[in-house]
Amino acid sequence: MDDGGKVGITLTRHIYEKQKEHPEATGELTGILNQIALASKIVSREVNKAGLAEILGFTGSVNVQGEEVQKLDEYANEVFLYTLGRSGHFCIIATEEDDETIPIPEGYRSGHYAISLDPLDGSSNIDVNVSIGTIFAIHRKISAGEKGTLEDLLQSGRKMVAAGYVVYGSSTMLVMSTGSGVHGFTMDPSVGEFLESHPDIRIPEKGNTYSINEGNYPYWSLGVKGYIDFLKEMDKETGRPYSARYIGSMVADMHRTLMRGGIFMYPADSKDPKKPHGKLRLLYECSPMAFLCEQAGGAASAGTGPILDVEPTELHQRVPFFAGSLDDVKMVEAFISKLDK
Ligand code: FDP
């Protein structure tokens, strides 16, 4: 098709235009988001081949050519670490895959930002061709000295300067915020660019869908059980019963929630005494998603208050998570405050 060379607004142009509204901006965020977009394009290319795992690999075993093949989540981790670590923008990195913080490689510039990321979230879904994603959260460097420290990563979500995710779904889409709304870009594989497809995403004030691993019901608190029971009652006026949707891939479930409204939850449960605060991680799962929810007019809570106000104490800290439409999040908080004293 002859489109006269028009490809729409690219991610780069979008960030550049936004930057012009802030004369004090240095342009560094433009560079950062471009690097994230680049790494996610490489990961997207490999995710699209995951169905050929038996032929091409990604099984962690040996492929038909007799070569040892890497698992896709490890591959994604390496791609992001390589790209971001050498970009000159970051002073320290944390990823879901590594227990410790990751310094910038010797010989490369240490930058003004810290990044926490989950390079391939929902990885139990890779083998069954279900959407997975990348999540990232960016903070300004606050520590003294040239190199970054843990202090730069352990900052509350309120201090975040940018956050986003990439969903590797039927299309690859990057959704991000630098603090002035939430914007979505869909990758056009024919030009290899993310094009603006969803400017200024807003979450409906109230939804009619709930998203939770309901198999954990027996392990929840009375407040959470009470809220889920309430959503399943019949009441035409408040749109109940709600519909249930749960993919089990946080990025995909949150993406649907952002676009359509409703609530996504991973509460605390008593299933595993080693994980008393639920499963999801504060720094690179809950906090960035909470930033996007608030920027889109929704809310994200730990059940007792905003996720963005939680002060992190550990790199891989877990936190209960309730996020989506404002009214729905307020309602679950009301149940928790009433029944979980
Ligand atoms: P996964 O274990 O497949 O990597 O935090 C990881 C995560 O997926 C999220 O993406 C997802 O929302 C959640 O765990 C699913 O957990 P359950 O299987 O316990 O529902």
Side-chain angles (χ1 to χ4, degrees), residues 96 118 120-125 212-213 216 246 248-251 253 264 266 271 279-281 285:
E96 201 262 344
D118 190 347
L120 210 57
D121 188 74
S123 44
S124 62
N125 281 316
I212 191 165
N213 183 345
N216 290 333
Y246 189 70
S249 204
M250 187 196 197
V251 177
D253 280 315
F264 169 81
Y266 210 110
K271 194 173 171 183
K279 179 178 183 189
L280 301 181
R281 317 290 188 138
E285 291 183 316

Side-chain angles (χ1 to χ4, degrees), residues 125-156:
N125 281 316
I126 297 172
D127 294 345
V128 285
N129 205 4
V130 169
S131 298
I132 45 184
T134 297
I135 316 173
F136 60 91
I138 298 164
H139 283 94
R140 245 182 220 105
K141 181 179 190 295
I142 50 167
S143 63
E146 194 207 331
K147 295 192 172 162
T149 68
L150 185 59
E151 188 191 352
D152 300 308
L153 294 161
L154 296 185
Q155 301 189 59
S156 77

Side-chain angles (χ1 to χ4, degrees), residues 76-147:
N77 193 42
E78 277 179 24
V79 170
F80 274 97
L81 284 182
Y82 187 91
T83 312
L84 304 179
R86 287 159 174 78
S87 68
H89 298 301
F90 297 105
C91 60
I92 194 142
I93 304 176
T95 93
E96 201 262 344
E97 297 283 326
D98 293 276
D99 289 345
E100 307 292 335
T101 58
I102 298 146
I104 301 309
E106 281 304 321
Y108 289 89
R109 180 175 167 255
S110 183
H112 302 124
Y113 294 90
I115 184 163
S116 308
L117 83 148
D118 190 347
L120 210 57
D121 188 74
S123 44
S124 62
N125 281 316
I126 297 172
D127 294 345
V128 285
N129 205 4
V130 169
S131 298
I132 45 184
T134 297
I135 316 173
F136 60 91
I138 298 164
H139 283 94
R140 245 182 220 105
K141 181 179 190 295
I142 50 167
S143 63
E146 194 207 331
K147 295 192 172 162

Side-chain angles (χ1 to χ4, degrees), residues 21-322:
E21 294 165 16
H22 300 274
E24 74 287 357
T26 58
E28 223 177 329
L29 271 183
T30 314
I32 287 176
L33 289 161
N34 275 330
Q35 293 299 310
I36 292 173
L38 170 65
S40 63
K41 283 184 214 171
I42 299 169
V43 171
S44 173
R45 185 189 65 199
E46 299 306 313
V47 167
N48 286 336
K49 293 194 286 196
L52 300 167
E54 289 302 310
I55 303 157
L56 301 174
F58 297 127
T59 54
S61 58
V62 171
N63 71 9
V64 288
Q65 279 92 35
E67 297 154 344
E68 176 124 7
V69 216
Q70 221 177 1
K71 285 187 172 170
L72 200 50
D73 43 3
E74 289 164 12
Y75 175 83
N77 193 42
E78 277 179 24
V79 170
F80 274 97
L81 284 182
Y82 187 91
T83 312
L84 304 179
R86 287 159 174 78
S87 68
H89 298 301
F90 297 105
C91 60
I92 194 142
I93 304 176
T95 93
E96 201 262 344
E97 297 283 326
D98 293 276
D99 289 345
E100 307 292 335
T101 58
I102 298 146
I104 301 309
E106 281 304 321
Y108 289 89
R109 180 175 167 255
S110 183
H112 302 124
Y113 294 90
I115 184 163
S116 308
L117 83 148
D118 190 347
L120 210 57
D121 188 74
S123 44
S124 62
N125 281 316
I126 297 172
D127 294 345
V128 285
N129 205 4
V130 169
S131 298
I132 45 184
T134 297
I135 316 173
F136 60 91
I138 298 164
H139 283 94
R140 245 182 220 105
K141 181 179 190 295
I142 50 167
S143 63
E146 194 207 331
K147 295 192 172 162
T149 68
L150 185 59
E151 188 191 352
D152 300 308
L153 294 161
L154 296 185
Q155 301 189 59
S156 77
R158 285 272 169 243
K159 296 184 184 138
M160 211 175 280
V161 292
Y165 62 79
V166 181
V167 57
Y168 308 104
S170 39
S171 302
T172 296
M173 200 171 157
L174 188 151
V175 175
M176 62 90 190
S177 176
T178 54
S180 53
V182 179
H183 309 281
F185 303 81
T186 303
M187 195 169 84
D188 179 344
S190 66
V191 288
E193 282 283 1
F194 281 105
L195 303 180
E196 188 175 68
S197 52
H198 298 70
D200 204 12
I201 296 169
R202 306 295 298 166
I203 310 184
E205 215 164 294
K206 181 189 166 312
N208 54 17
T209 304
Y210 73 102
S211 186
I212 191 165
N213 183 345
E214 212 161 343
N216 290 333
Y217 186 94
Y219 307 108
W220 294 334
S221 69
L222 288 179
V224 176
K225 281 180 178 168
Y227 175 63
I228 299 298
D229 294 343
F230 164 82
L231 293 180
K232 295 196 282 192
E233 284 166 10
M234 243 169 29
D235 180 46
K236 233 180 176 175
E237 215 169 284
T238 54
R240 288 177 292 144
Y242 274 30
S243 278
R245 291 280 186 281
Y246 189 70
I247 298 167
S249 204
M250 187 196 197
V251 177
D253 280 315
M254 277 306 302
H255 182 62
R256 184 198 53 251
T257 306
L258 265 177
M259 304 303 292
R260 297 270 158 84
I263 183 161
F264 169 81
M265 296 163 270
Y266 210 110
D269 61 58
S270 58
K271 194 173 171 183
D272 179 354
K274 280 188 273 162
K275 294 181 196 160
H277 305 296
K279 179 178 183 189
L280 301 181
R281 317 290 188 138
L282 175 62
L283 289 187
Y284 42 79
E285 291 183 316
C286 302
S287 214
M289 289 298 186
F291 186 80
L292 295 172
C293 279
E294 288 203 5
Q295 282 290 322
S301 171
T304 47
I307 287 283
L308 294 183
D309 291 335
V310 177
E311 289 294 339
T313 52
E314 283 171 46
L315 210 52
H316 299 287
Q317 184 172 341
R318 298 175 200 269
V319 70
F321 188 64
F322 306 87

